[in-house]
Amino acid sequence: MRELVFALEYEPGRNRVADALADHPGARVRSLSVHATDDHLWRVDHAAGTPAALDDVEAAFLDGDYYADCLATEHCGATQTTRVLDHTDDALVLYTDWEPTPVCASVPHIARDHLGESVLFETRHEGRHYTWRLIHSGEGDVGDFFDALRAAVGDAARTELLKTASASGATDGPGSNGGDIGLSPEQEAALRAAVEHGYYESPREVDAGDLADHLDVPRSTLTHRLRRAEERLAKAHVAEERVVDAGPASE
């Protein structure tokens, strides 16, 4: 089994959910379940954020011109049903049933075409960054998958490969430059630049905007890469401490 992690960074006005999340930093949507067949897609999503953020996310999902994960650049005429399963002050749970048309494309359907039918999907959406984690058999062609994905996405979003690894966790390819914690080359470059330019000094010697200009990437891209790198570093540190704490007891 193989693991594949990548992100789509949507341009403003090209994805209703991305626009809603970009207006509410800290809000996020993660999938609880994603299933796809040749002519259907079902998913359950959990959103977290402020009441205003959840209202905007719900409106984006329920809007008539938004189809779950559809990558078509124009109105595709798909049939979609979205139901609100739960909506509280700090959480929102949505169920979506999407029936695409021949002109539609989506990550799950492209994955089924190139990586096989038994692909597992997990997603996380923060701001304009939509991160996908796929578990697949390894028998398909990942290069063909990405070519088809980029062609379907067009100029609506940037595609960034974050990690490719065996299901056991050993990273290779683009995700191997970050050492044992599995940072992508982009995450490692952002982290190194942040340290070298004093982003983590107190007070900071450079702000996120100037650092993003130095790396020639949008500010949102930089902050996303730093957050993901920091998350991996923190988890690796805690895991290492647990291993030390669980070491053999002295006699």
Side-chain angles (χ1 to χ4, degrees), residues 11-230:
E11 295 294 330
R14 305 305 294 269
N15 181 285
R16 289 291 306 276
V17 174
D19 290 342
L21 291 171
D23 289 338
H24 300 279
R28 64 187 183 277
V29 179
R30 62 182 178 88
S31 61
L32 300 179
S33 180
V34 180
H35 302 281
T37 64
D38 287 341
D39 55 3
H40 263 83
L41 184 148
W42 300 266
R43 60 182 299 153
V44 178
D45 291 285
H46 177 277
T50 64
L54 297 181
D55 287 344
D56 287 352
V57 169
E58 178 181 329
F61 268 89
L62 296 178
D63 189 276
D65 65 3
Y66 176 79
Y67 301 102
D69 298 322
C70 184
L71 300 175
T73 57
E74 298 179 356
H75 184 73
C76 60
T79 300
Q80 173 173 303
T81 301
T82 300
R83 298 184 179 91
V84 178
L85 301 182
D86 190 26
H87 191 163
T88 64
D89 287 343
D90 58 1
L92 171 67
V93 181
L94 296 152
Y95 167 79
T96 301
D97 177 2
W98 177 55
E99 184 177 352
T101 64
V103 300
C104 294
S106 73
V107 170
H109 290 105
I110 295 172
R112 283 173 57 86
D113 289 342
H114 295 279
L115 303 178
E117 296 183 357
S118 57
V119 183
L120 302 178
F121 305 96
E122 180 182 85
T123 68
R124 185 181 181 90
H125 207 159
E126 297 174 284
R128 302 197 183 282
H129 296 269
Y130 193 9
T131 303
W132 285 81
R133 178 174 180 260
L134 277 57
I135 302 295
H136 62 102
S137 66
E139 298 177 357
D141 192 315
V142 173
D144 286 349
F145 164 74
F146 268 103
D147 287 344
L149 177 64
R150 292 189 177 102
V153 170
D155 61 359
R158 293 176 59 252
T159 305
E160 179 182 354
L161 177 61
L162 300 178
K163 179 182 179 183
T164 177
S166 67
S168 62
T171 59
D172 56 27
S176 62
N177 291 344
D180 292 338
I181 61 174
L183 295 183
S184 72
E186 294 84 1
Q187 291 168 352
E188 185 176 15
L191 199 61
R192 286 184 179 275
V195 172
E196 292 171 358
H197 288 79
Y199 180 77
Y200 290 110
E201 297 297 325
S202 183
R204 284 179 172 166
E205 297 176 4
V206 65
D207 63 22
D210 290 338
L211 189 59
D213 289 342
H214 172 75
L215 293 172
D216 194 26
V217 297
R219 178 181 177 134
S220 61
T221 298
L222 171 68
T223 56
H224 176 75
R225 291 175 181 173
L226 288 177
R227 282 200 305 270
R228 301 302 286 173
E230 291 161 1

